[in-house]
Amino acid sequence: MEFSKEKLKQIRLLMVLATVLILGIIYSDKVLLGGIFVINILKPFLYGGAIAFALNIPMRALEEKLLGRWQGKSAAKLKRPVSMILALVLVVLVISLVVGTVLPQVTLTAAEIGKKIPAFTEEVIDHLDKLAKDYPILSEQVSRLEAIEMNWDSIFKSIMDFLRNGVGNVLNSTFNVASNIISGVVNGMIAFIFALYVLAQKEKLADQGKRILSAYLPEKAGNKVSEILSLLYKNFSSFITGQCLEAVILGAMFVIFMTIFKMPYALMVGVLIAFMALIPIVGAFVGCAVGAFLILINDPIQALWFVVLFLVLQQIEGNLIYPRVVGSSVGLPSIWVLMAVSVGGSLFGIAGMLMFIPLMSTCYVLFKESVNNRNVRRKRPPVRNSEQENQAEKENSERPKDRARANQENHRNHKNINGRK
């Protein structure tokens, strides 16, 4: 039995892939270490790509809507750098607003707590004295503990050993912290410069990516990869836009209602909750905890009412605002959003929460398309979501009315023709 050259080439390729897979399984620990090493090297560029992707959303809006009327060759050259600078200024203003609003109030609250600690300590001592008088058994137990002889030599030796070891540990920790800070600053600068380059040359980079796909992949596979990448871009940009809009709405609601009910720190708590709400599901609760703690220092009753207000607004936001603003933008049901947040947070923390919702949405769309295509080939009705079913029912209910209108129109035209005759 003879094989063609194409068949032999495919067999060789499968053998090479099988060999690589087997070696990868056998030396999986070394492969994992090598992958981590490569990721650490590429980490500044990965961060730069993420920064460029996030900055591209406001930059694109500014370039198309605010500077869209700039025509001419010279104006077209200035459009990109001007929109990039405006996007950077906008991001810096938002971060400055959050830090400038929240940080001073947190500092003042910490100072108030420091002033109230002595009075709180005296109150605790008074309560302990009262307990000792009311329950003599407690004072007897304390007296027994005081009567126990303590080996001061061993205690002093333990303290000296701890100090000797502690000095070396402190020096090592200081060196590690300093090196981490320096490497973090360097990686941050590289990531920022790389992000600016990507934003300035994004059309050229996209064209180069398409040419690489067409050169190394078959036409069908290249088109599918391009479709998946465009779907990922659409889902990520829609999710970030929807999440920011939802956070602004939630923060504005807190500012308005806290001002109406005359609660303290309305602007600061609203800005804090809006900023923390960028983290899906759990972020707003972190902002609520901080806000309740700040209000608790002044008035515990108002802190309790603030928690009640948060629960009410959270229900409104979760049932009305989030599904329409964020859920509709990514097209992912709530149960899958919860699953994406849980899995992403367990694996990669906050970054995983933000990344896994668009990723899950993309996988959900691709899987739904695959299921529908298979059902069409097997002559089964495709899977529809609730909106599609409502639209289909509406179209089916309107079809008899359309037929009746068409029959009436034909009858009138027939009468008119007969009358002319």
Side-chain angles (χ1 to χ4, degrees), residues 38-54:
V38 172
I39 290 174
N40 288 330
I41 293 174
L42 298 177
K43 193 177 288 185
F45 303 101
L46 296 175
Y47 289 157
I51 293 171
F53 186 89

Side-chain angles (χ1 to χ4, degrees), residues 94-134:
V94 171
I95 295 175
S96 301
L97 175 64
V98 174
V99 175
T101 306
V102 176
L103 191 61
Q105 193 59 55
V106 172
T107 304
L108 290 175
T109 305
E112 290 180 7
I113 293 173
K115 292 178 182 178
K116 292 181 180 180
I117 284 177
F120 178 75
T121 306
E122 292 179 0
E123 188 176 350
V124 170
I125 292 172
D126 293 338
H127 280 294
L128 291 175
D129 291 338
K130 187 177 180 182
L131 285 173
K133 292 178 182 178
D134 294 339

